[in-house]
Every structure is written in structure tokens, then in C-alpha cells.
Amino acid sequence: HGHRYFLTIVDDYSRFTWIHLMHTKAETRQIVMNFCTYIETQFETKVKTIRSDNGPEFLMHDFYALKGIIHQTSCIETPKQNGIVERKHQHLLNVSRALLFQANLPPSFWCYALPHAAYLINCIPTPFLHNMSPYEKLYGHPCDISNLRVFGCLCYINTLKSHRQKLDPRAHPCIFIGFKSHTKGYLVYDLHSHSITCSRNIIFYEDHFPSFHETLPSTFIPPCTSSGIFFRRPPRSNC
């Protein structure tokens, strides 16, 4: 889809992680502003501090002053000062690579493996939170993993009734590649039409991983080193 970067946002209180895919770094400022509004609306609290590296995409002095946000930056060549996000980057990329290797998918599917890796990490208990998951720490209840499926496994999706004849196949083989936000459906790569589809009527074979062969276009550019921010807000009893 043309994404070349991703922005990682980590909550200091719960260690919950959000991933935002970007085409250019110029999108960072709008994403940060929208995210602050999202926190105020969904959690009834405000971001107090944002910590990032010295990337020019994070320089929004007027916005920080308007919101009363303290912007902390790490020193040059001192990534350890923003270590929470840097370690989170390493964790996310390690899990993403494992997902792609197991699923036999090419690197061009990184934009699906990475959000799925973040979803898994947010649902897994961690000793840092006394064996609570970031999701449970943030929302106050455990994550429902009943809909979780093995990334990259074989699945069959129902064909639409309006697009088939009596003797046409009733299902197409697909590859499960994640979830669609705010939708009760699964994202799959259709091996028949070579397209991305979201559907709920699917049968999964989680111990089968179909072989995927794809020739990457000459313009394909792998994801480069990403940026991340780490924000702090006052803890609340309902978060």
C-alpha cells in the first residue's frame, strides 16, 4: 500500500502500544495531534508529557504549548534515553519477522505483520505489570482472544452470492493476515483474486501455511528505521 514508515506510541502507565503506518514522515504531526484528541475522548484524561528523539517531525511547539504538553527529547546518539520505545521497536520487529517467516510471506506484507505483532504483545501478560497484559492494565479487563487465529494460516472465504453461478466454487483459498480495526471481520489475502478482503464467513486451517510466491516490483522499498514516542499521563482507576 505504499507505506514506508511506522510510528510507535507507547503509554507509560500501561505499556500499551499503538502502531500507525505512514507513507511519509510528514504525516507524523497530524497523527500525534489526532492521537492526543483520541486519548482525551476515549480515556477522559490528557497527555502530560511526550518523549521522542530529535526528529524534526516531532517539533510542534505551538501545539505542545496549546495543550500544555511537555516535550522531552533524547540527546544525539543517545537512544537509551528513549529506551522504552527503542526496545519496543526491537520487540515488534522480532515478532513481525517470526510471523512472516512462519507464514512464508514476502516482506511486502510487513504492514500487516507489524500491527498483528502489536496486537499480540498488547494481549500477553508481562512481568513488568505483575503478570498483567497491557490491554488489561489500560482497559481494566482481560483481552478477549477467542477470535485470535494463527497469522498466515490457510483459510477459505465464502464467495458472494451475487457474484457466482450455480456451478461456481462456494469458497476461495486465502491467507489470514490480521484484523480490521473497528470491524468484526478478518483480513485475508485472496489467492484466487490476489486482493485483500475483509470477511466474517471463514473456515480456518491453522496448521496449514500455503506457499506464497510473489515477485516484488522494482519500486518496492522495505520499511526503514521507524520513529516512536512515549507519553505520560496521570494513572486512573478505570485505565
Side-chain angles (χ1 to χ4, degrees):
H1 303 296
H3 296 115
R4 297 182 59 188
Y5 307 93
F6 67 93
L7 176 67
T8 306
I9 302 179
V10 181
D11 175 24
D12 176 39
Y13 171 67
S14 66
R15 292 299 194 269
F16 194 91
T17 304
W18 290 266
I19 296 293
H20 295 273
L21 304 178
M22 303 184 296
H23 297 89
T24 65
K25 286 189 176 182
E27 302 173 24
T28 303
R29 298 184 179 184
Q30 189 61 50
I31 290 175
V32 172
M33 291 189 290
N34 292 344
F35 181 79
C36 290
T37 303
Y38 168 80
I39 293 297
E40 294 176 3
T41 302
Q42 298 299 323
F43 300 101
E44 298 180 355
T45 188
K46 295 184 179 181
V47 176
K48 297 184 64 176
T49 304
I50 289 180
R51 182 180 302 165
S52 69
D53 57 18
N54 287 278
E57 63 271 15
F58 297 114
L59 299 180
M60 302 180 291
H61 302 295
D62 294 340
F63 173 74
Y64 298 143
L66 179 65
K67 293 290 186 178
I69 297 175
I70 298 175
H71 181 210
Q72 300 176 350
T73 58
S74 57
C75 295
I76 298 176
E77 296 184 353
T78 315
K80 61 182 71 68
Q81 291 185 345
N82 198 24
I84 291 178
V85 170
E86 298 296 339
R87 289 191 296 271
K88 187 66 68 174
H89 282 161
Q90 183 181 15
H91 191 187
L92 287 166
L93 292 176
N94 286 343
V95 176
S96 298
R97 281 193 297 269
L99 293 175
L100 292 175
F101 294 160
Q102 177 180 260
N104 300 318
L105 291 174
S108 56
F109 280 83
W110 73 269
C111 58
Y112 292 100
L114 187 68
H116 194 74
Y119 178 85
L120 296 176
I121 293 172
N122 286 331
C123 295
I124 296 176
T126 171
F128 178 81
L129 300 175
H130 305 288
N131 293 324
M132 292 179 62
S133 67
Y135 184 96
E136 183 177 359
K137 187 71 171 179
L138 180 65
Y139 291 99
H141 58 85
C143 178
D144 181 12
I145 60 173
S146 60
N147 62 338
L148 191 61
R149 298 293 184 271
V150 178
F151 183 85
C153 70
L154 175 67
C155 58
Y156 284 87
I157 179 175
N158 256 12
T159 56
L160 298 177
K161 294 181 180 180
S162 58
H163 295 167
R164 69 189 184 193
Q165 302 296 326
K166 290 184 177 180
L167 298 180
D168 288 343
R170 278 357 188 202
H172 287 158
C174 300
I175 299 175
F176 169 65
I177 55 175
F179 306 98
K180 186 175 181 179
S181 300
H182 312 300
T183 302
K184 292 184 177 181
Y186 299 96
L187 284 175
V188 297
Y189 178 81
D190 194 326
L191 296 173
H192 177 75
S193 62
H194 303 289
S195 61
I196 306 296
T197 305
C198 179
S199 177
R200 191 68 179 177
N201 301 319
I202 304 178
I203 296 178
F204 292 92
Y205 294 87
E206 298 184 75
D207 55 346
H208 290 77
F209 299 91
S211 178
F212 186 96
H213 300 284
E214 179 184 60
T215 303
L216 296 177
S218 58
T219 57
F220 173 77
I221 302 175
C224 69
T225 304
S226 59
S227 298
I229 65 175
F230 163 75
F231 76 94
R232 180 176 290 112
R233 57 189 176 81
R236 294 176 60 89
S237 59
N238 62 341
C239 293

